[in-house]
Amino acid sequence: MSAFLVNRLLQSIVLLVIVSIIGFTVLNLMPGGPLAQFGLDPGMTQKDVERLAAQLGLNRPLWMQYLDWAWRLLQGDWGHSFRDGSSVLTVIGRHLLATLLLMGTSTAFAIGVGAWIGIRGATHRYSLFDYCATVGAMVALSVPTFWFGLIGIYIFTLKLGWVPAGNMYTIGDGSVLDYLHHLILPSLVLSLVHVAIWSRYMRTATLDALSQDFVKTARAKGVSERRILLKHVIGNALLPMITLAGMQLPSVLTGALVTETVFTWPGMGRLFLDSLGYSDYPVVMGLLIFSAILVLLGNLIADIVIATVDPRIRLA
Amino acid sequence: MTKGSATTSSYSRRDALRMVAIGGAAGLIAPNLLGKPAHARTSPTKPTGRVIVGLGQEPTVFNPLMVHIEVDDGVHFSVFDALFRIDPQGVIQPNLAMEVPNQKNGGISEDGLKWRIRLRDDVRWHDGKPFSAEDVKFTLELITNPNFRSWRTAGHALVRDITVVSPTEITWRMEEAFAPYLSFLTETFIVPKHILEKEANPNNAAFNQAPVGTGAFKWSKRVAGDHLELVANTEYFGDGPHIERLVFKYIPDLTVLYTQFKSGDIDLVGQPYITPDHYGEAKTLPNRVVTLVPRTSFESFYLNLERPQFKELAVREALYAAIDKEAIIQGLYYGVPTPTETFMPRQSFFFHANLPLHQFDVKRAGKILDQAGWAKGADGIRAKNGVRLSFTNSTTSGDPLREQVQQFLQQTFAQLGVEMKISNLPAAVMWGDFWVQSQFDSVIVGSSYLIGADPDVTNRLHSRSIAAKGGRGSNNAQYANPEVDALLDKGARTFDPEARRAIYSRVQELVRRDLPFLPLYQSNSVEGLKKGINGFVPNGNTRTESWNALAWYWAS
Amino acid sequence: MTAIVAHAAPARWWHSRAVIRFMRHHLALLGIAMITLLVLACAIGPYALPYDSLHIDLRARFAPPLTGNHYLGTDPLGRDLAVRLLMAGRVSLAVGFSAMLLSTLIGTLIGVTAGYRGGWVGAALMRTVDGFLSYPSIFLVLALAATLRPSPAMITVIIAVTSWMETARIVEAEVRSLREREFVQAARMVGLRRAHIMFREILPNAMGPIIVAASLAVARAILLEAYISFLGYGIQPPLPSWGNMLNGAQQYLASAPWLAIIPGAAITMAVTSFNFIGDGLRDALDVRNDHI
């Protein structure tokens, strides 16, 4: 086990290096750069732009910039934002909570609803419900999230006026109820895809479990269907569920990107887009490394859980 | 003035000129009465209420000397003071200074090289420490500190021998006479020496995220990605503030920005203001005041004169004649902007009102090209001496209105036998080397040519300012006219407003004749606020709607 | 189709179990029908409609659907939405298809090589796959689209370059399991060249998962094009694509909702169809690799 962990850790570090090199290169290949936003300022001269480039270290060769950045990162210094000079971790920290709130709510909702649909679909196999759930899941996976968000705003905000069109809370209010009110639409939109994934997953898992011998035994003993479901089926599906949740960890960044844009949610997805727009390289790189670490962590957890649960799978 | 309908029309140019001439005196009579409403007595005795300003970009830079963008200005104007401010009429008024220096009152020497500023003695920083000439000296020196990531250094780089004569008096010498510097100082906010001198690295100072100024509002808190909040500085030396809290709310989507104005979630729409397509509806909203405010931003079909297609004046004239400005402004922009023939905003004292007027006439455009020898080839595109009249046009992607203008022009130009291809780029790419090093054929661009309200456009039109040819400015059309060069050099050394007016009028005539860019329109921002807010005065000479938030108050 | 033949090898391919199972899959048939309809409409429709997709008419701006001959209304420049939707369909479907072909090609090459060679070559290739997968793919796409001029061909390449990893993983796993099978060992003993074994012996037997992955890849490519064009980095106007028709539609959501609803519905329809087809193929080809 420990040999496996060491091996995986080494591989992960190599991976992080690859990720960071690709990211750094692609970012810097982008013409324009961090000083382009001042191209229209009537008072900034070419001299000012050159001075700023030198101050930000942008006039050095690319490899030197990369090594400098990587060396600092190894020492725990994630760098400072080009925009406001704050440290990158501070900037990420400022947006982390908003994303966690949105992702947490929608994931909880998705797991709850998805599990219910999946289990019901499996126990009522080939029923109208099952059929609709299957088709619904396929369609849900096919709808562009941003479009679903727009339609949601059109119906529930513009036509019905039930929920606000965006923002995390009303300035000056900020009560729990107010947060919830603002959470409803974006978390519903964001959870659509996840409900589909979870319902499909739970359906398969439940069908698997139902065909197992211990379920047949339990049935023979006269244990109620409800109890069988609760105890055996869900209990059996629980660990793999955690795995799946772990594998979805990285979507903290990507999953929320578009939703946060449509709903003006002050989270990491929008931070990413804004930073990309301003060519704030240190923040973009920070977010990339942050999300890559999440991916690796998610994969690692998944592997460990699977190995712990199922001894047939050899590690390494 | 008080109903949010202030325009420059009520104010004659002669008055403006007189005020420029007597500058300091006017300042002494009415110190810091900037935009103060005539009936300010009805304002509350104690700051009350809250105003939420919605912004389309997020303010992130709070040290006003650091490199920043327009949207940060609202915070700077509220938290800090400059030596001077510029009022809606383009007249410079004293702020931290006692008077505006000029050659008549001796604040500026006859040769324009020696400056003397007298300062107020009743100003305190938000932490209670007194403000003094030392802070001004520190500020001017910090700007030119090579390790500091400062914003514009033009003008400041000419300042030498800064001397603190007394806590209320400071003098310096200019390396060369430079009239626009007075205008530059209206956008140079003074920062506290006692806080920043302790910082080893001013670029990462804690001050930058929790600024301390002398302004009418004090820093309160910020929720990144969402909003920031300022509170009233009850010790402010001038009149105001009258509201207790000033909130800047970041709403990246312009439609949502408007929707929240409509629903009342925000009290005032800041830049980039209400989009033109919502103007018609916004005007009819109950309990809202919506006004068109002239800005300094000038929109043009901007050409790269080094491209063989555009070298000939006839081509530029023909393209100009083929632009249906009326349809663009009335149709695509809902009548919001004002057609113009010059880069100088019409509210400026230096605006030339009698330039030849553009007329849309595709037939005439065709004739001009025929006479110049640009004949249609087999592919239907005109050509001359092997040069096809075909070019690309770029603008920032994700700007639906400009994209519509492009596609509209593409269709008209095609009728003329001119091929225009569209290739749009994200802003972060567009305004980098592509723009600065003149790598484009043509672009549709809207930008201000002025700094403050000073008419000096050396940076944009002088042949010394062509970056692609090793110059130091942003004359990206690569326009070179020796007469314009000479006029610009003379204008920057001239302090007398009347003499400068003659100079810059001639510049505008020459540029209109040479057409280095095809003028489209001058922008008007659609500014909107709730009816209850009094004291709001728009100011096209600043880059922000919140330049005088200290005068705002809620009707009781 | 070779895969299906290789699998069951019956006298007539339409008698094969896979085809019969696929035909029994109602959703897959529905998907095929919808895609056929879309492709035909996009191919023929623009000739049947009385407007040109680029013709601007400022007097006819924002006409709602069913105004005169504008069956789906007009856009902010007064262009006919129906004809634009169909022209956009050509672009979006072509980009989706070509991106799928290219990404499947890349993914298959890398997957087969990694799976068959194993060792450090395989490890290096698969770690590269992991590396690509640990990016938010939208980031790579956006950064690349900003760097390169976004023509339809370039967008196709960008999408392919950022979405071949799934295929590579699936193929690698399949090939690794086939590598030690008798027929491969036999081929090795006969002394066939490595390339021959990899692509002529093993690959046909791994065709099932590849076809399934490919049909899902079309769906993903269409979605990805829509995302980047929606954000303004994709296909540039005046050339319409479903994604860039939605770009800017948010602005008119209150006054002209059809501008947002119609192209989005087209995207959903196309993507759903390909997902249905993929699902049908998975059942028919008995691919267990259930990765949704």
Side-chain angles (χ1 to χ4, degrees), chain A residues 11 15 19 22-23 26 29-31 135 138-139 142-147 150-151 154 200 254 272-273 288 291 295, chain C residues 127 130-131 134-136 139 142-143 147 223 227 230 246 250 253 257 260-261 264-265 267-268 271-272 275-276 279 292:
Chain A
Q11 284 192 2
L15 251 174
V19 164
I22 298 178
V26 171
L29 277 182
M30 238 164 84
V135 176
M138 301 280 276
V139 176
S142 312
V143 180
T145 318
F146 64 89
W147 183 68
L150 289 184
I151 301 297
Y154 179 67
R200 299 285 284 169
T254 46
F272 183 83
L273 269 189
L288 269 184
S291 89
V295 177
Chain C
R127 289 297 82 78
D130 288 349
S134 57
Y135 273 106
F139 156 75
L142 289 182
T147 309
L223 270 184
Y227 277 121
F230 171 68
L246 278 171
Q250 186 165 11
L253 201 55
I261 294 173
I267 297 174
T268 307
V271 176
T272 310
N275 279 336
F276 281 167
D279 197 45
I292 57 164

Side-chain angles (χ1 to χ4, degrees), chain A residues 24-302:
Chain A
F24 206 86
T25 317
V26 171
L27 263 186
N28 281 281
L29 277 182
M30 238 164 84
L35 300 174
Q37 54 184 306
F38 307 114
L40 288 182
D41 187 320
M44 294 235 331
T45 60
Q46 195 54 25
K47 213 164 121 190
D48 286 328
V49 172
E50 280 160 19
R51 169 180 55 85
L52 284 166
Q55 285 171 342
L56 295 174
L58 295 169
N59 53 353
R60 295 170 299 171
L62 205 55
W63 60 267
M64 206 191 270
Q65 290 182 44
Y66 175 77
L67 285 183
D68 184 48
W69 173 84
W71 178 241
R72 281 164 192 270
L73 186 67
L74 282 180
Q75 294 166 318
D77 176 7
W78 289 57
H80 292 265
S81 158
F82 283 173
R83 273 174 90 190
D84 65 4
S86 305
S87 90
V88 168
L89 284 184
T90 313
V91 175
I92 293 180
R94 283 184 200 136
H95 293 81
L96 190 60
L97 220 62
T99 298
L100 285 181
L101 183 66
L102 180 59
M103 292 302 292
T105 316
S106 77
T107 309
F109 180 81
I111 293 181
V113 174
W116 178 75
I117 294 177
I119 295 172
R120 203 187 138 92
T123 49
H124 300 73
R125 213 173 165 187
Y126 303 129
S127 66
L128 185 65
F129 178 89
D130 186 28
Y131 197 74
C132 289
T134 307
V135 176
M138 301 280 276
V139 176
L141 286 171
S142 312
V143 180
T145 318
F146 64 89
W147 183 68
F148 190 59
L150 289 184
I151 301 297
I153 291 178
Y154 179 67
I155 296 174
F156 295 107
T157 304
L158 295 178
K159 288 286 135 188
L160 298 172
W162 288 354
V163 289
N167 293 335
M168 196 157 71
Y169 54 88
T170 315
I171 293 175
D173 186 337
S175 61
V176 176
L177 225 80
D178 184 55
Y179 268 93
L180 285 177
H181 194 210
H182 285 83
L183 257 173
I184 296 174
L185 200 53
S187 57
L188 272 183
V189 167
L190 192 57
S191 61
L192 180 76
V193 172
H194 296 274
V195 168
I197 295 174
W198 282 102
S199 67
R200 299 285 284 169
Y201 170 75
M202 275 312 282
R203 185 178 180 273
T204 320
T206 313
L207 284 178
D208 262 6
L210 285 176
S211 65
Q212 300 283 324
D213 290 340
F214 58 79
V215 171
K216 288 177 190 153
T217 321
R219 270 205 190 115
K221 280 196 211 153
V223 180
S224 75
E225 280 295 313
R226 196 183 179 77
R227 223 181 124 73
I228 291 175
L229 268 184
L230 278 177
K231 192 157 173 217
H232 297 290
V233 178
I234 296 180
N236 242 26
L238 208 60
L239 267 179
M241 260 169 77
I242 296 169
T243 322
L244 189 55
M247 297 193 36
Q248 284 178 2
L249 208 59
S251 62
V252 165
L253 182 58
T254 46
L257 196 138
V258 177
T259 316
E260 289 183 356
T261 310
V262 174
F263 290 99
T264 63
W265 197 265
M268 307 221 311
R270 216 176 65 200
L271 173 68
F272 183 83
L273 269 189
D274 279 1
S275 303
L276 196 63
Y278 287 107
S279 301
D280 194 346
Y281 298 160
V283 176
V284 175
M285 285 306 292
L287 285 169
L288 269 184
I289 296 297
F290 187 78
S291 89
I293 290 176
L294 284 183
V295 177
L296 296 174
L297 219 70
N299 285 348
L300 195 66
I301 292 172

Side-chain angles (χ1 to χ4, degrees), chain B residues 255 277 331 400 404 407 411, chain C residues 56 61-62 76 79 236-237 251:
Chain B
T255 310
D277 49 300
Q404 287 171 21
Q407 295 171 48
Q411 181 163 303
Chain C
I56 294 168
R61 321 176 65 191
F62 297 117
R79 293 173 296 200
Q236 294 296 310
Q251 196 175 343

